[in-house]
Amino acid sequence: MSRERVGARAVEGALDPIAGSAVARAIEVLRGLGPASAALALLGAVALLALTQGAAAIPPQTVLRVLLDALPLVEVNANAPATWERIVVDIRLPRVIAAGVVGAALAYSGASYQGVFRNPLAGPFLLGVASGAALGAAIAIISPLRVDAYGFGWVPVFAFAGALLTVLLVYLLATGSGRLDNVTLILAGVALSAVFGAATAFILLTGGEEARPIFSFLFGGFNTASWQRIAWAAPYLAVGAAFVAVYARTMNVLQLDEEQAAQLGVDVTRTKLIVLAAASLMAATAVAIAGVIGFVGLLVPHAVRLVFGGDHRRLLPLCALFGASFLIAVDTFARTVLAPQELPVGVMTALIGGPFFLWLLRSRRVEVS
């Protein structure tokens, strides 16, 4: 029996029989559609649903006509009030795209960390990368530098520096004996996350009015999403994703022992440094857009790996697609379940991802050390 099928049955067994059979049927449907088709179909359906939900309930067919009419060189009679068009194009669409981009970036970077460290518990949140990026962003916000200087944001630059510093510290602490220790890796990430979180809170409490935007970073959310923010984030995410994708096949070799990978011609140290830097750039940019949103980089890659296997050439793009769908769905729920009050997205992902993480720790099928 294949490893991914064993993993799928482990997930089903952790649930009650009814829920387990539902999960089994969902997995078989996804396999029947094919990985790429299933991921794209799910993303399209979730995004369309998100665009219809809010204070003004807009029918799906109207949303589709408005979107088509907004495309260049396409003329479609939307047959919708002007206010609906503004709601879809100027308010909901940037938010949905931002949630999708951040979800894709976090899941993609999480899969990259897990591949490099050969640890299914690694991720931007548990390694402290998200907290380090948030601290860097907080420093940029209270610094005298202009946030939008020279056509790009200093916030993602400082966030990337914080994320990269964090992952390097975690790596050095976990390899003190010459070999990477997975238990120390997670413990170091949790400890650094607590330290950086405290430093960010100190800046928030002592920074005055200038530090007020930092508050949104602590819980995560997309209520400030805009086309401009998506535009300046796109280059950082594209560069990070491209560098990781180049090393997708090499990351498959890294799943062997490092000595075996070196014998096969892989420059292990160089590969790790490049992938970690690229993944940290993506995680830092996600934090700069939406703040600290935890567990997406842990939950999504693990679930995708169980269903579709661990080949990084397929795993990475699927993680991006399913990660986008997941965070769009969570954001839609967070902004509608108690409307007009909006729940922080980071709180919702913690409520979902926390129990999943505890299940991973308890599962005998996950090798922690």
Side-chain angles (χ1 to χ4, degrees):
M1 182 179 295
S2 65
R3 182 178 299 176
E4 55 266 28
R5 188 172 293 275
V6 172
R9 288 195 174 182
V11 174
E12 297 161 19
L15 305 171
D16 59 82
I18 297 177
S21 61
V23 170
R25 288 195 298 270
I27 290 175
E28 292 302 324
V29 170
L30 291 177
R31 287 194 179 123
L33 288 176
S37 299
L40 288 172
L42 180 62
L43 178 58
V46 171
L48 179 60
L49 177 63
L51 290 173
T52 65
Q53 300 301 305
I58 304 176
Q61 60 271 22
T62 302
V63 170
L64 290 175
R65 288 197 299 266
V66 169
L67 294 178
L68 290 174
D69 188 52
L71 294 175
L73 304 179
V74 177
E75 294 185 5
V76 176
N77 184 10
N79 194 24
T83 54
W84 281 13
E85 295 183 8
R86 291 188 58 187
I87 288 173
V88 171
V89 177
D90 297 330
I91 300 177
R92 292 184 186 174
L93 186 58
R95 179 163 185 155
V96 169
I97 292 178
V101 166
V102 170
L106 291 175
Y108 198 96
S109 61
S112 303
Y113 288 129
Q114 292 173 15
V116 168
F117 293 125
R118 292 186 297 162
N119 188 339
L121 300 181
F125 185 74
L126 290 177
L127 291 179
V129 176
S131 296
L135 177 59
I139 295 173
I141 290 173
I142 65 171
S143 72
L145 296 171
R146 291 178 55 195
V147 175
D148 59 346
Y150 306 109
F152 64 93
W154 284 111
V155 171
V157 175
F158 275 66
F160 171 63
L164 189 59
L165 175 62
T166 303
V167 76
L168 289 177
L169 287 175
V170 169
Y171 183 76
L172 291 175
L173 290 171
T175 54
S177 60
R179 295 184 61 86
L180 182 66
D181 183 74
N182 282 333
V183 174
T184 306
L185 181 76
I186 299 301
L187 293 178
V190 172
L192 288 176
S193 180
V195 172
F196 292 151
T200 304
F202 177 79
I203 293 175
L204 175 64
L205 293 174
T206 60
E209 290 295 326
E210 295 182 357
R212 188 173 296 275
I214 300 174
F215 185 79
S216 62
F217 280 86
L218 300 181
F219 298 102
F222 301 97
N223 55 338
T224 60
S226 65
W227 290 114
Q228 181 181 7
R229 182 167 294 190
I230 295 172
W232 64 247
Y236 299 100
L237 296 175
V239 170
F243 270 97
V244 173
V246 169
Y247 287 89
R249 185 172 183 178
T250 307
M251 290 171 65
N252 288 338
V253 182
L254 285 180
Q255 304 314 298
L256 304 172
D257 185 81
E258 291 187 3
E259 295 180 359
Q260 298 181 25
Q263 292 175 358
L264 293 174
V266 175
D267 189 335
V268 176
T269 302
R270 181 172 181 269
T271 299
K272 283 187 174 182
L273 290 176
I274 292 176
V275 173
L276 289 176
S280 299
L281 177 60
M282 297 185 69
T285 305
V287 171
I289 296 174
V292 179
I293 298 178
F295 294 104
V296 178
L298 169 72
L299 191 154
V300 175
H302 195 80
V304 173
R305 189 180 294 108
L306 288 176
V307 178
F308 298 110
D311 187 342
H312 286 83
R313 292 171 296 182
R314 182 171 59 174
L315 176 68
L316 290 169
L318 288 179
C319 282
L321 293 173
F322 283 111
S325 300
F326 173 74
L327 202 54
I328 291 173
V330 172
D331 178 58
T332 302
F333 181 81
R335 65 181 172 85
T336 58
V337 65
L338 294 178
Q341 183 180 358
E342 183 174 316
L343 297 176
V345 178
V347 173
M348 298 302 302
T349 58
L351 290 175
I352 298 171
F356 181 81
F357 175 64
L358 294 176
W359 175 80
L360 282 181
L361 289 179
R362 293 282 297 174
S363 174
R364 296 181 181 180
R365 294 175 177 83
V366 177
E367 184 178 347
V368 181
S369 60

